[in-house]
Amino acid sequence: LICLTGGGWSAVKIMRRDARLHSSPNAGWPEAAAAAALGIALSGPRVYNGALTEDPFVHPEGRRELEPEDIEAACALLWRGWIALLGLAALAALI
C-alpha cells in the first residue's frame, strides 16, 4: 500500500529488489517501499554504538541528502497508506 499510494508499480519493483538489502528482514519491506515512493535512499552506512556499519543503501539511486520536507512527505505517505487500508477493510466488510 505504501508503494501503490505513493510511487506506483515502479516503486513496487524497487521495494521487491531492495527490501532484502536492509539488515532487518521485517523493516526492509516498508523502508524500501517508502524510499522508492519518496525517491530517496535510506539505510546505508551509519553509526551504531560508536561504530560505523557498512550496510548498503535501500534505493541507492534515490536522493541521499534529505531535507526537513522529506519528513512531511513521509508522514503524508503513511497517512495515504492508512486511508487505503481502511478503504480496503471497509470494502471487505461489505462483501
Side-chain angles (χ1 to χ4, degrees), residues 9-94:
W9 289 111
S10 62
V12 172
K13 290 179 191 176
I14 294 169
M15 176 193 66
R16 292 188 59 186
R17 179 195 74 192
D18 290 358
R20 64 179 176 76
L21 298 175
H22 198 281
S23 59
S24 168
N26 296 318
W29 291 97
E31 194 165 321
L38 297 170
I40 60 176
L42 293 174
S43 198
R46 54 198 178 273
V47 176
Y48 280 118
N49 297 322
L52 180 66
T53 69
E54 294 298 326
D55 295 329
F57 280 99
V58 173
H59 192 237
E61 61 274 13
R63 185 170 39 87
R64 295 183 185 185
E65 296 295 324
L66 304 184
E67 306 287 334
E69 295 80 22
D70 291 314
I71 297 171
E72 294 294 327
C75 290
L77 178 64
L78 177 64
W79 280 111
R80 287 193 305 271
W82 274 109
I83 290 167
L85 178 63
L86 290 174
L88 288 173
L91 182 62
L94 293 174

